[in-house]
Amino acid sequence: MIDIGFLEVAIAICLMILAIILARWQRTGTEKELAIGTVRSFVQLVAVGYALEFIFGMENFFAIIGTMVVMMMVGAYTAGKRAVNIKNGSVISFIAIFTGSLVTLGLMLGLGIIKAKAQYMIPLGGMIIGNSMNCSALVMERLYSDISGNKLAIETSLSLGKSWQDASRTYFQRAIKAGMMHMLNFFKTVGLVALPGAMTGMILAGASPLKAVLIQIIVGYMLTAAVTVAGIVAAQLAIRQMFTTHHQLKL
Amino acid sequence: MDGAHVTTPDAILDIKGLNRSVLVKPGAKRIIIDDFNFSFSEGQIYTIVGPSGSGKSSLLRLLNRLDERDDGEIIFQGESIDSIPVQALREKIALVFQMPYVFPGTVESNLLYSRSKKHENERNELIDLLNRVGLDEMYLPRNPENLSLGQQQRVALARSLSMEPEILLLDEPTSALDPGASRTIEELLTNLNQTMNLTLIIVTHNFRQALRLGGISLVLIDGRIIEAGPTKELFENPANEQTRKFIAGELR
């Protein structure tokens, strides 16, 4: 494997300069965004790289947990902002992301598949948190739009003596499905159309393809489990804000 | 108790000091139902008339607890509705909406939708329900989404009747229908009242419809009863100026 340093990155930037020149020549109107994006991603990723080097260097369990909690808070805030119509959306997302991460990482640690080291916890945690964040935002948005858009159907159900759980079951299921669609589609095309990121990265770093595939499978199952837990938690908490215990729709 | 309020001995639904308001924006309340007192007798037809926004629909939603009242008492067959499980209450005090909603499937699955218990001779019971709303067994396998609105409203009516309610609340049941279908529903309702001794409380913004339905009318304006009495007398000889204006079409 070639030893990668800042020199190699500087050469790679030439590709971006080429892309910007091309965009300008063809007047695509994207050259400004490309330039800003190049600088921005460079700064952000290098900063994260140094931060992770620092945390990895400490090899302190509480530093790992602290980092993950910060990541969860940022993720929860982002998801909450996307689901504007859900009260306390950020709090709900935090609980959802936290539960999803705790269950899956806890199980992996308990079964001895991974160790409580920054090398495993931070990248896996990052993937879990990112995917759970997307899922809980999608679930909450879909739940609100479906339930507020089907008031007549729901209240007809309630008026026929159904519980709020029965009256809203279809919309609950649809929301969970919407949140997990990305994961379910991933299963269909993985390896055929797209080579997943973790696997590609390992192969580039010199690991054997079979080993990279095995790790990717574990990562895929773990992400799906985490997203399932997060989606269900987010849906259960969000839907409880839309009904009263007396089977009344509050929207 | 309120001195003006008299409980009739055959009252099926007794309402005292009912209030409901909603928060329009933080700190700003709008009163929807304002100190509503009335005693509904068993087996009677009631129409609640009044201009739009007067609180008619909101009143019905309080009676089957789709919405929660702020205060006041609602006594159903001598018992506060708070002591009856909500789901059981809604089977006893059934609500039919202005716009019929039919569940995807068949007319049969719609009629079975509300029932938790399975009956023997199910099919005969379903046919009987359809007959009561002027439809026949040919409709059982049909997709209700393909029926006309008037027929859908009849399916919705039969679906509510399947719960064997004591009181049927109807929220503008014909305002989404054409005049012909409206008349059919009106006739079905008076028929149900007579044959099953079913108590009907019907909200309408159309006082001519109230006249056709007969019974007793309550005129509701700004969440308050301003006049109540036998429908014919009330509209022929309104005691209240606002009732007169409403009949003359000056209040909308």
Side-chain angles (χ1 to χ4, degrees):
Chain A
M1 180 80 194
I2 318 148
D3 192 30
I4 301 275
F6 279 99
L7 180 67
E8 284 75 12
V9 174
I11 295 167
I13 284 180
C14 291
L15 290 174
M16 291 307 292
I17 292 169
L18 185 73
I20 291 165
I21 291 170
L22 209 64
R24 175 128 204 184
W25 174 47
Q26 287 292 312
R27 300 186 189 196
T28 59
T30 48
E31 62 267 27
K32 202 173 159 196
E33 277 88 349
L34 274 174
I36 293 172
T38 307
V39 177
R40 191 193 170 117
S41 58
F42 181 82
V43 172
Q44 274 177 211
L45 287 173
V46 169
V48 167
Y50 277 114
L52 289 181
E53 284 281 348
F54 176 70
I55 295 161
F56 280 37
M58 283 201 298
E59 208 44 87
N60 176 316
F61 184 71
F62 294 104
I64 296 171
I65 297 299
T67 309
M68 287 178 61
V69 168
V70 171
M71 285 157 73
M72 283 180 204
M73 281 163 63
V74 175
Y77 175 74
T78 311
K81 244 176 53 178
R82 273 169 58 187
V84 276
N85 292 307
I86 304 287
K87 242 191 292 167
N88 305 319
S90 295
V91 179
I92 290 177
S93 300
F94 185 83
I95 299 170
I97 297 170
F98 180 82
T99 316
S101 311
L102 189 73
V103 170
T104 47
L105 282 177
L107 220 67
M108 302 268 287
L109 279 172
L111 294 172
I113 299 171
I114 59 167
K115 294 190 191 108
K117 287 175 69 176
Q119 181 199 344
Y120 301 106
M121 300 284 280
I122 302 289
L124 291 178
M127 281 194 280
I128 288 177
I129 292 164
N131 282 283
S132 305
M133 169 190 86
N134 275 327
C135 178
S136 55
L138 280 170
V139 163
M140 290 191 297
E141 283 174 277
R142 184 61 187 264
L143 204 55
Y144 179 82
S145 70
D146 265 10
I147 288 188
S148 62
N150 289 286
K151 279 187 196 172
L152 178 64
I154 292 169
E155 291 200 318
T156 299
S157 258
L158 294 174
S159 292
L160 292 165
K162 295 283 182 180
S163 65
W164 69 260
Q165 290 92 338
D166 283 342
S168 63
R169 180 151 296 123
T170 317
Y171 312 107
F172 179 82
Q173 289 169 341
R174 277 196 217 162
I176 300 267
K177 211 172 221 176
M180 293 201 56
M181 200 41 91
H182 176 70
M183 279 292 164
L184 299 174
N185 284 337
F186 172 78
F187 279 131
K188 287 182 200 156
T189 54
V190 68
L192 302 174
V193 183
L195 292 182
M199 190 175 128
T200 315
M202 282 186 69
I203 295 173
L204 283 175
S208 84
L210 187 64
K211 188 156 188 200
V213 162
L214 293 180
I215 299 247
Q216 180 60 53
I217 291 173
I218 295 177
V219 168
Y221 291 169
M222 189 189 66
L223 281 183
T224 310
V227 163
T228 307
V229 172
I232 291 172
V233 170
Q236 285 286 3
L237 292 177
I239 205 165
R240 274 174 171 72
Q241 296 194 338
M242 302 177 193
F243 291 94
T244 70
T245 49
H246 293 305
H247 309 281
Q248 294 156 328
L249 180 61
K250 276 202 287 187
L251 294 178
Chain B
M1 198 203 288
D2 184 352
H5 184 81
V6 184
T7 306
T8 46
D10 57 346
I12 188 167
L13 196 64
D14 211 3
I15 300 170
K16 298 168 193 168
L18 188 68
N19 283 297
R20 159 89 174 163
S21 55
V22 291
L23 219 54
V24 188
K25 54 186 178 190
K29 270 188 185 177
R30 199 170 87 84
I31 294 170
I32 305 290
I33 298 294
D34 189 5
D35 191 27
F36 184 99
N37 296 280
F38 199 78
S39 203
F40 294 94
S41 302
E42 190 171 354
Q44 187 61 258
I45 294 184
Y46 295 91
T47 52
I48 297 174
V49 297
S52 58
S54 59
K56 307 185 296 291
S57 301
S58 305
L59 175 68
L60 292 194
R61 294 170 60 89
L62 296 178
L63 302 185
N64 84 336
R65 286 188 86 187
L66 267 189
D67 286 334
E68 205 59 53
R69 61 194 188 275
D70 297 344
D71 51 62
E73 278 181 75
I74 302 175
I75 312 290
F76 170 61
Q77 293 180 328
E79 206 179 342
S80 165
I81 61 167
D82 295 341
S83 58
I84 306 166
V86 179
Q87 290 174 259
L89 176 77
R90 290 180 186 154
E91 290 178 348
K92 294 287 142 211
I93 305 180
L95 174 60
V96 173
F97 289 89
Q98 173 175 8
M99 188 55 108
Y101 179 81
V102 288
F103 298 97
T106 60
V107 169
E108 180 171 5
S109 68
N110 269 270
L111 295 183
L112 290 168
Y113 185 85
S114 64
R115 302 223 218 161
S116 42
K117 51 179 190 287
K118 286 270 171 263
H119 295 244
E120 273 183 52
N121 289 331
E122 189 102 300
R123 196 176 160 80
N124 288 337
E125 266 185 65
L126 297 185
I127 293 167
D128 184 47
L129 280 172
L130 284 178
N131 291 341
R132 279 193 230 166
V133 297
L135 301 175
D136 57 41
E137 65 174 305
M138 302 291 283
Y139 282 87
L140 280 178
R142 289 189 63 176
N143 178 355
E145 289 166 312
N146 298 335
L147 300 177
S148 71
L149 266 186
Q151 288 167 327
Q152 290 189 15
Q153 189 62 295
R154 291 200 245 172
V155 171
L157 198 56
R159 189 175 58 192
S160 289
L161 292 175
S162 78
M163 299 187 291
E164 294 165 12
E166 305 281 339
I167 301 176
L168 197 57
L169 310 171
L170 298 112
D171 186 5
E172 306 251 14
T174 66
S175 64
L177 313 181
D178 61 70
S182 298
R183 291 299 183 98
T184 311
I185 297 279
E186 285 167 16
E187 283 160 22
L188 283 171
L189 290 175
T190 45
N191 219 341
L192 286 172
N193 167 256
Q194 282 160 13
T195 55
M196 299 168 65
N197 198 35
L198 187 63
T199 310
L200 302 176
I201 304 177
I202 306 162
V203 158
T204 175
H205 65 276
N206 180 347
F207 76 86
R208 286 185 192 85
Q209 180 171 60
L211 274 172
R212 288 194 293 271
L213 288 163
I216 292 167
S217 275
L218 286 70
V219 182
L220 201 68
I221 290 177
D222 294 335
R224 297 186 76 97
I225 301 180
I226 59 156
E227 201 167 346
T231 306
K232 201 159 177 286
E233 289 172 33
L234 193 144
F235 286 116
E236 278 173 0
N237 201 3
N240 189 291
E241 180 62 14
Q242 281 180 295
T243 309
R244 198 196 59 72
K245 279 185 175 171
F246 173 68
I247 296 168
E250 291 165 32
L251 285 179
R252 285 278 163 210

